[in-house]
Amino acid sequence: MKGSTDLLVSILVLKVVEGFLLSGSCQKRCLQAYTPSLICQCNAECNQHGNCCPDFHLACEGGDKSCVSRCLSNYDPSATCQCNTACSSHSNCCSDFSTACGGGSSTSHTSITQATLADRLWTMDPDKFDTQDVHLNLGGHTYAGNTQDRSPLPLFTSVNSNLLARPIYTTLFSLYNNYQPQLGVSDPLDGSDKVEIGHFLDVVMASPVIKETHTYLVDHGLYTGDMAAFRKKIFSLWFEPYSRSKGKPRDSSAFEHVFVGEYKGTKTEGLHNWVRFYSEEKAGHINYLGYSKYRGQQMVKFPFTWNGHYKDTNSFIVGSSPAFDMALGTVCYLTKPNSECDFSLNGNQFRIKQWDASNAAGPQLATAYVVF
C-alpha cells in the first residue's frame, strides 16, 4: 500500500511540474517558436501579441535586476539597478554590469576579435534602440519572391520617437532628399549637400562606436591613419558618388544604396536600414509583405514593395544606429573586400556581406548588409 501511495505522489508531482511548464514559464523556452498548444509564449513577438509568459521579462530579457539588453541605457528610476556609465559613481550598478557591459572599464583592444566586435560596439552605442524602444508586427510567414501580402499590418508597430530626435538621426533625415532613387539619374553633390553630409559625419565620427572601430582596425593592422584620415576614408567609401552602370552617370553611392534605397526598373535595390524603412512605411510608401526569417528580436528578413517597386528579399538589424551599421560595413570591407564577415550580436550569429563598386576607380564600397 505504501508503494502505491509513493507512486501516486510521484505521479501527482510530475503532473504539477508538467502543468507549470505548460501553463506559464519561459524557463528554457526563450525565443522558442510560437506553439499553439501552450497558453503563453516566449518568442520575440509575444510582447506585441500580449501573450508572453509572466516570467518572460525576467527569464528572456534579464529583468530589471540584470544588464542583459540594458547596457548604456538611460537612467531608469523604476529599475532595481542601473546599467549606464554613471552607475559606478552612484553605487547602483546591477551585479552583472561588469560581465554584461564591460563594467565601463577600458577593455584591452587587442583582446577584441571580429567575433566579439559587434557586441562590444552595441554595448557602448548611446544611439541604439533597445528592444523596449521598437515593437514589430512580423505578421504572416512568407518566402523570398512571394508577391502576396501575408501581413495586413505594417512591420513597425511603435518606435520611440524621443530617440529619433537625437542628432545622429536628425542629421540622417536631412540627407534623404539629396538623392534621386532612380538608377541612371545623376546624383551630384552640391555645396549644401556636402554641408549636410559634413554635419552627419561630425556626429558619426564623435560616436564611441566609430572611435572604437578605428582603434580596433589600427590595433589589428587593418588601417594605419589617424581619426582625421579615417573620416576621409569613411567619406570616400560611403559617400563618393559612382556609376552603377559602366559609362552612365554617377547615380549611386554606398550610403544612398544602403541608407536611402534605389529603384532599378520595377525593382527596389538596397534600402538595408531599418530607420529608412520605418520612415517610408510610416509615410505610406512601403508595403511590408510578411517575414521569411527572423533571429531574436533584432534581425528580420522579408519581401516588400516601395512606391510600387518590388524587392523579393531584404534584411536589416532592428535598432542599430547609423554609426553601428557603417562601422560593421567598414570593418568588413577593410578586412575582406568583396566577401562576407562573421559577427555575433547578443548570442545571434550573422554575417555582413559587402561588395566593391567594380565601376569605380580605387576602393569604393557598393553595399553592405546583414545575412543570417
Side-chain angles (χ1 to χ4, degrees):
M1 189 70 175
K2 182 178 184 300
S4 298
T5 301
D6 290 343
L7 178 60
L8 179 59
V9 171
S10 297
I11 293 174
L12 289 173
V13 170
L14 288 174
K15 289 293 185 181
V16 170
V17 172
E18 180 184 24
F20 173 75
L21 291 175
L22 290 176
S23 64
S25 175
C26 284
Q27 294 298 322
K28 299 184 179 180
R29 287 179 52 208
C30 290
L31 301 184
Q32 181 186 66
Y34 173 73
T35 309
S37 62
L38 301 180
I39 67 170
C40 63
Q41 306 298 322
C42 305
N43 52 48
E45 290 76 49
C46 71
N47 274 318
Q48 302 151 30
H49 296 292
N51 60 358
C52 297
C53 292
D55 64 346
F56 174 71
H57 177 53
L58 181 62
C60 303
E61 296 184 324
D64 62 4
K65 295 182 180 180
S66 170
C67 285
V68 175
S69 300
R70 293 176 56 210
C71 289
L72 300 185
S73 57
N74 293 329
Y75 173 72
D76 181 1
S78 66
T80 306
C81 54
Q82 305 300 321
C83 304
N84 51 51
T85 54
C87 70
S88 296
S89 59
H90 292 286
S91 301
N92 60 357
C93 296
C94 294
S95 59
D96 63 350
F97 177 61
S98 293
T99 55
C101 308
S105 59
S106 58
T107 302
S108 171
H109 294 107
T110 54
S111 68
I112 300 173
T113 65
Q114 182 179 295
T116 61
L117 180 63
D119 275 324
R120 173 70 176 169
L121 298 181
W122 187 270
T123 296
M124 62 173 45
D125 192 352
D127 297 308
K128 66 177 179 293
F129 283 64
D130 289 319
T131 53
Q132 69 267 21
D133 297 315
V134 183
H135 296 109
L136 305 179
N137 175 48
L138 291 180
H141 185 265
T142 187
Y143 54 88
N146 187 13
T147 58
Q148 293 183 333
D149 193 344
R150 299 289 180 84
S151 178
L153 298 176
L155 172 60
F156 288 92
T157 301
S158 65
V159 172
N160 187 339
S161 59
N162 291 330
L163 299 183
L164 290 176
R166 292 179 176 178
I168 199 166
Y169 297 106
T170 57
T171 55
L172 172 68
F173 298 150
S174 71
L175 302 182
Y176 288 161
N177 63 3
N178 294 345
Y179 297 95
Q180 161 57 253
Q182 186 65 53
L183 288 172
V185 178
S186 179
D187 276 323
L189 296 178
D190 61 26
S192 62
D193 295 338
K194 291 180 179 180
V195 168
E196 290 176 339
I197 292 173
H199 290 160
F200 174 69
L201 280 179
D202 286 343
V203 181
V204 169
M205 297 305 296
S207 169
V209 169
I210 294 299
K211 294 177 180 178
E212 184 75 1
T213 298
H214 173 259
T215 301
Y216 167 84
L217 290 169
V218 170
D219 285 352
H220 287 78
L222 299 169
Y223 186 74
T224 58
D226 59 15
M227 282 295 290
F230 193 46
R231 178 192 173 108
K232 293 179 181 178
K233 186 69 173 179
I234 286 180
F235 177 87
S236 67
L237 287 178
W238 287 92
F239 289 97
E240 197 67 53
Y242 70 91
S243 173
R244 278 195 169 254
S245 301
K246 191 173 181 179
K248 292 189 176 182
R250 297 200 299 173
D251 56 357
S252 186
S253 67
F255 175 84
E256 179 182 4
H257 184 81
V258 173
F259 289 91
V260 181
E262 298 171 309
Y263 306 145
K264 186 176 183 180
T266 61
K267 305 289 187 180
T268 289
E269 295 197 350
L271 213 163
H272 299 294
N273 178 251
W274 77 272
V275 176
R276 174 63 166 173
F277 189 97
Y278 164 70
S279 300
E280 288 295 280
E281 185 179 61
K282 186 178 180 182
H285 301 158
I286 278 181
N287 183 26
Y288 167 72
L289 301 177
Y291 74 97
S292 58
K293 189 177 182 181
Y294 71 89
R295 183 160 293 173
Q297 300 182 64
Q298 293 177 302
M299 302 176 200
V300 61
K301 188 176 180 181
F302 55 91
F304 71 101
T305 60
W306 179 33
N307 289 324
H309 297 78
Y310 176 70
K311 186 169 187 182
D312 61 359
T313 186
N314 196 38
S315 57
F316 46 58
I317 296 176
V318 177
S320 59
S321 72
F324 182 88
D325 291 341
M326 293 177 76
L328 292 191
T330 302
V331 166
C332 189
Y333 182 84
L334 295 179
T335 303
K336 295 170 64 177
N338 285 317
S339 187
E340 299 180 4
C341 302
D342 295 320
F343 295 98
S344 176
L345 180 61
N346 295 328
N348 296 307
Q349 307 300 312
F350 69 98
R351 303 184 305 281
I352 293 294
K353 178 179 283 190
Q354 42 71 36
W355 302 108
D356 181 76
S358 58
N359 294 316
Q364 177 70 62
L365 188 62
T367 186
Y369 56 93
V370 63
V371 179
F372 62 95

